[in-house]
Amino acid sequence: MKDIFYESNKDKSSDIFAEKQKEFGGRFHFHRAFELAYITDGRARYLIEDETFIAEKDQIVFAHCYYRHKSFEDIKHEKYVIAVPENLSRDVAVLFSDTTLPMLLPDTEFNRTLLPFFEKLANECTDMSRILSKGYANIIFGSLSHHYNSIAVKPKNKNVLIIADILEYIDNHFRDRITLESLSATFGYNKTYFSRLFNQHIGMSVNNYINLVRLDRFEKLFADSKSENITELVFDCGFSSLATFYRVREVRRKGRISPTEQK
């Protein structure tokens, strides 16, 4: 089985991911977010699904949601990377529901007209309002879809589809008492195989991931409601105890979620 990693940070963020990167490699991965990379200097080598190609200066690379992809560190280059998470990408998702942009967008003259929006997002995204950052992203995606001819979406990789179904199930049932045992039974897998499959793609145990989903939900609800009843909100989000909630929050705060840590 090919090593494929689910990059959760681009999906779980409540904001658009945008930054300037130099040579940046990593594991062959996927996420639900739609991702664009604008090459500002040098040349970048990419692998998306089963296609390897070179992107030149002022060309743009597009990875559709769930497309497996990676860039390589072997050629010097700089780029702006933006990724629109699922909770902010409804307009983009409708735009690319049945079709997609080519993986390589080569019209450098046209692409340069969009460079200021990439720069704005990468340099000012953390300081601007969500509606403004979403507006810039919509201008970029809308302009690209108008300029470039759409193509058919590639069939999704079987393992990616399985993981996507599992993640969607967890998103819909995180308040319930779901465990490794119940999830593997729901999807018809042996518990040991299911655990290995999940850990390989997600990079952490089933229980850790479920608790992170619960923590994300708690933080959003708490910020929206300004409720002082933390205990009630903790249990409403599916945590079995306050001790578990505080442990997960502290571990995440310190960035020490272990891929093999089990509760």
Side-chain angles (χ1 to χ4, degrees), residues 48-73:
I48 300 183
E49 291 296 291
D50 300 316
E51 297 184 29
T52 302
F53 56 89
I54 300 292
E56 306 280 351
K57 183 177 183 298
D58 290 318
Q59 292 184 338
I60 297 175
V61 177
F62 176 58
H64 196 276
C65 65
Y66 293 117
Y67 272 21
R68 302 161 297 162
H69 60 282
K70 70 172 292 183
S71 60
F72 296 85
E73 299 172 327

Side-chain angles (χ1 to χ4, degrees), residues 120-223:
K120 278 280 190 182
L121 284 171
N123 297 327
E124 303 175 26
C125 191
T126 56
D127 298 323
M128 67 176 62
S129 67
R130 187 177 300 175
I131 191 170
L132 183 57
S133 62
K134 183 180 177 181
Y136 282 137
N138 281 347
I139 289 173
I140 293 172
F141 280 103
S143 299
L144 291 173
S145 67
H146 181 72
H147 183 74
Y148 289 96
N149 292 327
S150 297
I151 60 176
V153 177
K154 284 179 172 288
K156 304 290 193 300
N157 173 271
K158 178 183 176 182
N159 288 327
V160 169
L161 285 176
I162 293 169
I163 294 297
D165 286 344
I166 294 168
L167 297 180
E168 183 174 1
Y169 182 90
I170 292 173
D171 284 346
N172 293 331
H173 296 85
F174 66 90
R175 287 188 174 90
D176 302 336
R177 180 171 172 75
I178 48 177
T179 62
L180 171 62
E181 290 76 10
S182 65
L183 270 177
S184 57
T186 296
F187 286 90
Y189 287 101
N190 170 275
K191 182 177 74 171
T192 302
Y193 173 80
F194 185 92
S195 177
R196 186 168 62 248
L197 176 73
F198 192 92
N199 203 307
Q200 178 186 11
H201 286 72
I202 307 305
M204 66 180 70
S205 72
V206 169
N207 288 335
N208 272 334
Y209 181 81
I210 293 169
N211 280 329
L212 284 178
V213 171
R214 290 167 174 160
L215 181 60
D216 287 339
R217 185 60 177 168
F218 167 85
E219 290 175 344
K220 184 179 186 308
L221 290 175
F222 184 72

Side-chain angles (χ1 to χ4, degrees), residues 86-126:
E86 191 175 40
N87 64 318
L88 294 176
S89 67
R90 290 186 182 88
D91 294 336
V92 181
V94 170
L95 195 61
F96 301 122
S97 58
D98 300 316
T99 59
T100 183
L101 292 170
M103 298 173 188
L104 180 63
L105 306 172
D107 188 340
T108 57
E109 182 178 355
F110 172 78
N111 293 345
R112 279 193 290 271
T113 66
L114 299 177
L115 180 56
F117 300 109
F118 280 88
E119 292 173 336
K120 278 280 190 182
L121 284 171
N123 297 327
E124 303 175 26
C125 191
T126 56

